[in-house]
């Protein structure tokens, strides 16, 4: 593998970083020093400091459109291979559904509400996992008898020879 190296100029190399570090040593280029103030007792007549506002998280929806686009066979082949394609200018696209990318709920149901996925994403995974009902184990019929089978080797050379991990011929 070969790499090309270009000569470093003062704008692209590291030298411009060090020049700015020591610019304060030159008296004609140095910025004026700020005057230092002595600590003063708090001024009772001065305005109080404004309260610091905490940034509110953005809970808005991100809208996406499920669309139906008619394409030529060449574009269809590219779209199937890459998963994307470029539409032509002025092409009409039919919107099948408009929904939020985060909470996956339709536009008309959640317009004006905060996005539920940005608040709590549990609705996408079937509710709270700690309180969800466990899976039921199927009960065999009364007249059924469980017969233990042999041990199946799924790893190693025995599995390969036995045909577990290779395709049938």
């Amino acid at each position: 593998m070969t790499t090309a190296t270009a000569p470093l100029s003062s704008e692209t190399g590291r030298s411009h970083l060090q020049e700015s570090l020591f610019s304060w040593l030159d008296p004609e280029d140095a910025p004026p020093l700020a005057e230092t103030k002595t600590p003063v007792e708090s001024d009772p007549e001065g305005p109080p400091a404004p309260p610091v506002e905490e940034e509110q998280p953005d809970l808005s929806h991100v809208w996406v459109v499920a669309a139906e686009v008619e394409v030529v066979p060449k574009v269809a082949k590219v779209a199937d291979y890459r998963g994307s394609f470029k539409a032509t200018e002025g092409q009409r696209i039919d919107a099948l559904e408009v929904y939020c990318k985060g909470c996956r709920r339709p536009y008309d149901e959640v317009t004006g509400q905060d996005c539920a996925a940005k608040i709590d994403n549990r609705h996408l995974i079937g509710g709270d996992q700690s309180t969800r009902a466990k899976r039921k184990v199927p009960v065999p019929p009364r007249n059924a008898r469980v017969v233990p089978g042999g041990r199946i080797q799924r790893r190693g050379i025995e599995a390969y020879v036995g045909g577990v991990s290779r395709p049938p011929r």
Side-chain angles (χ1 to χ4, degrees):
M1 182 170 113
T2 60
T3 57
T5 57
L8 295 175
S9 65
S10 62
E11 289 89 34
T12 60
R14 293 188 202 125
S15 61
H16 72 282
L17 295 174
Q18 292 186 357
E19 289 172 4
S20 63
L21 288 175
F22 299 106
S23 64
W24 60 274
L25 290 175
D26 294 332
E28 64 263 3
D29 294 340
L33 296 174
E35 295 180 16
T36 58
K37 293 185 177 182
T38 58
V40 182
E41 296 290 324
S42 62
D43 188 13
E45 296 177 11
V52 179
E53 292 185 23
E54 295 180 19
E55 289 188 27
Q56 297 292 331
D58 182 24
L59 300 177
S60 61
H61 293 277
V62 178
W63 299 112
V64 293
V65 176
E68 189 173 281
V69 182
E70 189 172 325
V71 294
V72 295
K74 182 179 177 182
V75 175
K77 183 178 179 180
V78 171
D80 183 48
Y81 178 72
R82 292 190 176 167
S84 65
F85 67 97
K86 291 185 179 179
T88 60
E89 184 178 344
Q91 185 176 11
R92 181 156 180 89
I93 300 173
D94 298 328
L96 300 176
E97 185 180 9
V98 179
Y99 60 94
C100 176
K101 188 175 184 179
C103 64
R104 303 209 180 257
R105 298 174 88 189
Y107 177 81
D108 55 348
E109 283 184 17
V110 293
T111 304
Q113 301 173 8
D114 292 337
C115 181
K118 293 181 180 178
I119 297 170
D120 186 12
N121 211 13
R122 279 187 267 176
H123 73 284
L124 292 175
I125 57 174
D128 187 10
Q129 300 295 308
S130 63
T131 60
R132 198 165 82 175
K134 303 298 178 193
R135 291 187 179 140
K136 296 178 182 174
V137 178
V139 178
R142 287 186 184 180
N143 58 359
R145 188 172 54 137
V146 178
V147 179
R151 180 167 169 82
I152 299 173
Q153 180 59 274
R154 288 190 163 85
R155 293 184 182 85
I157 191 70
E158 291 84 12
Y160 182 76
V161 173
V164 174
S165 63
R166 63 183 167 87
R169 292 183 186 214

